[in-house]
Amino acid sequence: MYKINTNFQKLPGSYLFSTIAAKVSAFAEANPQADIIRLGIGDVTQPIAPAIIEAMHCAVDEMADAATFRGYAPDLGYDFLRNAIAEQDYQKRGCDISADEIFVSDGAKSDSGNIQELFSEDNRIAVCDPVYPVYIDSNVMAGRTGNYNEATGMFDGVTYMPCTAENGFVPEFPKEAPDLIYLCLPNNPTGTTLKKGQLQEWVDYARKNGAVIIYDAAYEAYISEDDVAHSIYECDGAKSCAIEIRSFSKNAGFTGVRLGFTVVPKELACGGVSLHAMWARRHGTKFNGAPYLIQRAGEAVYSPEGRRQVAEQVAYYMKNAATIYNGLKDAGYEVYGGINAPYIWLRTPDGMSSWEFFDYLLEKANIVGTPGCGFGPSGEGYFRLTAFGSHENSVRALERIKAL
Ligand code: MLT
């Protein structure tokens, strides 16, 4: 008789964004006349930039010709893409990362869920609270946590680092050092970030305590302030203690295309065992490479035209962020984020719970957002709006909120 992985039974309910989608579908069915504005999941709305589309078309044509057809991609990624990433995302910023330290994948969500496989089951993880749910859920599935505690909204055996307005959304160093530290900067969901000096302190803490930082930099393109690191490898010593995960979803609109990468430096080792070699082994066994035409699309993101066009898209979304941020402030809300990230994080009004405000906004203004408590107990009393909608919808949403 087979047995299931009972760790799955520790997970309460469904994945956050699936729960929201189901609630919104039910509302839309019951209110077919409602003109719903979706500012919930951080999904982009602008089309893929022309330079990238052109590169994809060329790659499709290559696939139609026996002379240029490509079968399986190299499982760690094509050199043309790994070289472009190493040069433009790292070496140009003074980070000593080489192309063979870059592992191309089908996206940051997969990598951030899979990376925990490199670590022993008894490692203790630390996460910010609120947090992108994938970090915790993937560790729950792997058996690296205890049970879910309904009363606290936390899993036993996990170190939660509260990030609230009271501490400026800056996590404090856990008293008892964890083994794996997840940091997402700029942060999803709070939209805040750390200054470079603060990030250096995390690198120093990890090195002192023999911990690894899993650094999710999916929103790096949205950094607008000068003293914020674009990569953790801008910090001294990070190559010996950090893995960085990046995405093409938010900077180039690849949410439906799927492409990302993870940097595992060669000097990252535990007891003489290279994590780079382990991740290469894992990739080779479980992944057959991101599709050729998608990797060509990724390469085009780094072309002069591609860079200009994706920068325009980022600016478009950041204009939305300013519209939402300033509009909410004018309407008397307490608002955070939106300056180095495409997320606006607000305190719910009148002491409403996050889900009460979700229902209120959906019913009274037909706007979908994300309840802060869905990201962890310290998110209770907060709410997230994304800047990834169209500009028209961002303006209309704020008009509706102001009219409430
Ligand atoms: C979010 O809304 O938090 C993100 O879109 C989720 C993701 O990137 O997987």
Side-chain angles (χ1 to χ4, degrees):
M1 179 68 183
Y2 68 88
K3 295 195 177 84
I4 57 163
N5 176 354
T6 52
N7 291 311
F8 278 65
Q9 288 166 292
K10 295 177 188 165
L11 292 166
S14 56
Y15 184 61
L16 172 63
F17 293 105
S18 315
T19 308
I20 293 171
K23 264 185 164 267
V24 175
S25 294
F27 178 83
E29 209 169 300
N31 302 276
Q33 78 299 339
D35 172 18
I36 299 174
I37 298 178
R38 294 165 199 270
L39 303 180
I41 190 164
D43 196 2
V44 293
T45 50
Q46 293 301 293
I48 306 266
I52 302 169
I53 291 292
E54 198 183 313
M56 286 169 94
H57 279 300
C58 288
V60 168
D61 289 343
E62 284 182 69
M63 293 303 240
D65 183 339
T68 48
F69 169 80
R70 313 282 181 127
Y72 289 126
D75 43 49
L76 307 186
Y78 281 104
D79 285 344
F80 60 76
L81 180 57
R82 299 172 89 196
N83 286 331
I85 293 168
E87 271 171 41
Q88 304 221 30
D89 282 334
Y90 294 101
Q91 291 156 10
K92 271 195 177 169
R93 289 200 180 275
C95 304
D96 177 26
I97 294 293
S98 58
D100 61 358
E101 292 175 301
I102 288 156
F103 297 77
V104 175
S105 73
D106 64 348
K109 184 175 185 178
S110 320
D111 283 355
S112 57
N114 292 330
I115 197 75
Q116 47 76 27
E117 288 183 25
L118 299 188
F119 302 97
S120 149
E121 204 178 287
D122 57 5
N123 277 325
R124 187 176 182 99
I125 68 161
V127 293
C128 292
D129 172 23
V131 65
Y132 179 47
V134 172
Y135 312 149
I136 298 191
D137 289 4
S138 57
N139 277 288
V140 172
M141 291 171 182
R144 207 167 282 111
T145 72
N147 287 322
Y148 181 69
N149 183 328
E150 291 277 352
T152 61
M154 298 181 190
F155 284 92
D156 295 336
V158 172
T159 299
Y160 289 80
M161 304 180 287
C163 296
T164 59
E166 286 64 42
N167 63 10
F169 304 98
V170 175
E172 277 164 30
F173 298 110
K175 289 194 180 54
E176 199 186 317
D179 304 299
L180 308 178
I181 302 163
Y182 286 84
L183 292 179
C184 173
L185 296 167
N187 187 256
N188 177 16
T190 66
T192 53
T193 196
L194 300 185
K195 304 285 183 203
K196 188 171 165 189
Q198 293 172 304
L199 185 59
Q200 180 67 56
E201 288 175 19
W202 277 97
V203 169
D204 297 343
Y205 173 88
R207 294 180 74 199
K208 184 167 147 241
N209 292 292
V212 169
I213 297 175
I214 301 179
Y215 190 76
D216 183 347
Y219 299 94
E220 166 276 330
Y222 291 84
I223 293 171
S224 69
E225 293 179 324
D226 284 342
D227 51 354
V228 177
H230 286 249
S231 162
I232 195 164
Y233 304 117
E234 289 177 43
C235 296
D236 294 335
K239 282 177 72 180
S240 64
C241 70
I243 291 173
E244 180 163 299
I245 298 173
R246 292 265 192 120
S247 168
F248 287 79
S249 290
K250 317 292 169 156
N251 62 330
F254 279 34
T255 53
V257 171
R258 309 308 308 151
L259 191 68
F261 62 89
T262 287
V263 181
V264 187
K266 291 210 192 96
E267 66 184 77
L268 186 56
C270 177
V273 179
S274 155
L275 271 69
H276 179 277
M278 287 173 76
W279 190 240
R281 184 72 176 82
R282 190 248 172 229
H283 234 51
T285 301
K286 296 197 175 181
F287 188 58
N288 257 340
Y292 174 67
L293 63 100
I294 306 301
Q295 294 198 50
R296 280 292 184 202
E299 181 191 28
V301 172
Y302 296 96
S303 68
E305 269 300 274
R307 284 163 64 92
R308 193 184 54 72
Q309 291 167 1
V310 298
E312 275 170 14
Q313 286 192 345
V314 167
Y316 174 92
Y317 292 130
M318 287 312 273
K319 188 170 141 202
N320 293 347
T323 299
I324 298 171
Y325 182 97
N326 294 328
L328 287 168
K329 277 229 140 150
D330 290 349
Y333 285 83
E334 192 182 319
V335 203
Y336 305 94
I339 293 179
N340 293 299
Y343 293 123
I344 289 87
W345 187 245
L346 57 131
R347 209 189 278 271
T348 54
D350 307 324
M352 276 189 211
S353 74
S354 299
W355 277 113
E356 279 167 358
F357 190 62
F358 174 90
D359 291 333
Y360 173 75
L361 218 53
L362 183 58
E363 282 159 26
K364 302 280 186 244
N366 299 163
I367 295 169
V368 181
T370 308
C373 63
F375 298 101
S378 294
E380 181 56 273
Y382 291 92
F383 199 76
R384 193 191 79 177
L385 291 173
T386 161
F388 285 126
S390 67
H391 189 61
E392 296 69 32
N393 276 348
S394 305
V395 171
R396 287 168 65 226
L398 260 294
E399 282 166 4
R400 290 186 195 177
I401 290 175
K402 283 181 177 170
L404 282 172

